[in-house]
Every structure is written in C-alpha cells, then in structure tokens.
Amino acid sequence: MQDDAVSRDGDDAAARHRASAPRDGASRDGASPEGASPEGAPRDGAAIARDAAEEASAFSHPAVDPDVTMAYGDHPDQVIDFYAPRDPDPAVLTPLVVVLHGGAWRAPYDRRHITPFADFLTHRGFAVANVEYRRGRATSSAPGGSAIPAQGGPPTPGPDGALSSGADGSGDRGDDRTQGGGDTGAGTPVAGRWPDTFDDVAAALDALPALVRAALPQADPGRMVITGHSAGGHLALWAAARHLLPDDAPWHTDRPVPLRGVVALAPIADFQVAEKLDVCGGASRQLLGGEATFAERLPYADPVRLLPTGIATTLVQGRTDIVVPQAVAESYADAAAKAGEVVGLTLLEGVGHFPLIDPAADACAVVAEEIAQLAW
C-alpha cells in the first residue's frame, strides 16, 4: 500500500509516501521477498556490479577540507568540521545541516569520505557541521580490506600527528574504553564502541550551538537539520530521540533536541530487522557489544524503539540498495505509523546505497531537496 505517492522528475524517480503496510514484497518482520538474498535485495551479478560502480563513483571525488575544525572533547576523533555556505545572502542566517557519516560504525570509515557531500550541500546554500565520532577498533589488516578508497592524496595528520583513522585503520589513539563485541572474522574491524560512539554523538550535539556561533556566525542553529548516511542515518535518528531514552540512559534529555527535522539516508533504523538481514555483517550486534548484550541494550540504541519523536523525519532509500535494504527503512516507517507518527519515506527507483551521498548522482539532489523542505 502506498499513500500520498508522488512521482519525481529526472532519472532517479522517487515515490514519496507514508508508512502503512508492508510494500513491494518486504514483509513486516524483515523476511526476504522470494528470489532475494539473505540481505533482502536481489544480489545477482548485475546488482553487485551496479553497487560496486555506485560506490566507486561516490568515493571518486577528492576530499574537501573544512573551513574550520573545532573539538568537542579531548579525543582526536571528537571533532566537528565546519563548512560555510557558498555565496550566502549576508542579510539572512543560513540553515545548518549536521552530517553524520556512515561506514558501519567501523574504524576505517571516517568523516573524510563524506566531505564531497558536505561541500555539495554548501553549494545548495547550507552551512554544514560534519561530525566525527569514535568507531570500533580495527583488527589486523585483511587483504582487500575494508578501508575506503583514498580521496585527494595522502592522509592528513590529526591533531596529535597521527594519521586519520581512515588511513591507518586504527580508529583508536589512546582511549581504551569498552568497545563493541567480537563476532568478526580475522581482519574485520569491529563495529562501534559501546558506549563511546553514543557518548560522542550526544556530546557533539550538546556542544554544537556554542561551536557554531564561534565557527560559523552566519549559520542559524535554530534552523538545524540532522542528516546521516547508513550507520550515520541510525545515529541521526537516535540523536533526535534522546528524550525518549530510558531515564537511566546517560544520554537522556528532558526535552526534544531543537531541530527542524531529520533526513536519514538508507539508515540502519531497525536493529532486529538489520540483524535478520545480516546488514553489514552483523554490525548492529557488534555495536551493542555482541550477542550477550544485544537485547538488553536495544532500548538504549535502536531508533525503532524510540517512537514517536515529535520531530519531522524523512527517510530516503534506494530501492536497489543491497547494503542496507529497503525493508529496514520500511520497518521503521511502519513502526512510526503504529506509534501515531507520520514519517516520510522517499524511495528512489534504480538507486542503491551510495548515490545518496554522491554529488555526481541525481539522488544526491533529491536528498538536498528533502533537507531544504525541512530547513527553510
């Protein structure tokens, strides 16, 4: 069933609709439609080749250096890169887009890979805050490992002189708190660090208004939209729902974060469905510390359990995504509807996982439009 379906112009046609019943063969509990792989989307040779081409395109753009970088904590990964809007109207404060990068919460994927997307948004009139956060520690390097392709030359030294975590694969430079559980093969980076990943996102959002005033006085933190891709989409939804966390959660807030809205891009929005589909090799289970602590930590981390938020939310999802399949986003949207909240779900035909953050893809323009609808 599709409600309020609207067609978009262009090669990436999207159907924007409201969540209600399961659609397009995706069952409500995340079971794969007939003929699909365990990941919930067809993974024949053509689909895999298309995904690889989309990923290569997204990572082909040179990294874009920020205008200002500011710290929100003492750890080298506790930083935010700020990008000023291009050609702003000096008489009008600019909406602020907070970007949370993806990469399955794993160390080799840092904020550098999403900087072309951040720069793309500045050319659409937004100020951008690109948030870094601690991710899972990497184990020994594996042949053909999981580090993203290099962007724009050699890695940039961090504040302590170390290479960025995307370059050396460590993701950990001195802080040895409890991290995500095992459940990985040799050479596979662990996804996330409990509770560090959540500590950082909460701390970054709490510090952001003051940092914005210092770094980008032309930005308006009162018109703030959070967006995130994949694992970052999970963090965006979670950050907007902190007022719904259990009272004993260290990240709980008494009231909603003052946001114009959330635009979550192919988010890992329902951990149990994601685990059934083996999204990113069990990354959500690792993020919560492994099988032994997965169930008890779900109420503190899983966005689908933190509804209704009362904050305008849109999910943007490629129909041919074989990394985080459509069924995951649909499960979240359906749960929101059951909770009495309308969540927008924009489905893009012929689009996989990576075009959503690829400035060369039409899907990226759709994302910018969704952000604009909430920000202005």
Side-chain angles (χ1 to χ4, degrees), residues 34-81:
E34 184 177 357
S37 72
E39 288 77 19
R43 289 182 64 92
D44 57 19
I48 294 172
R50 180 175 58 245
D51 177 72
E54 290 175 339
E55 180 177 7
S57 177
F59 292 148
S60 68
H61 309 285
V64 180
D65 292 331
D67 296 300
V68 181
T69 298
M70 301 191 74
Y72 64 86
D74 295 331
H75 192 276
D77 282 339
Q78 293 174 326
V79 294
I80 303 175
D81 289 340

Side-chain angles (χ1 to χ4, degrees), residues 248-269:
D248 63 342
W251 318 292
H252 175 86
T253 58
D254 293 333
R255 58 182 60 86
V257 178
L259 296 173
R260 285 294 182 93
V262 179
V263 179
L265 314 177
I268 306 177

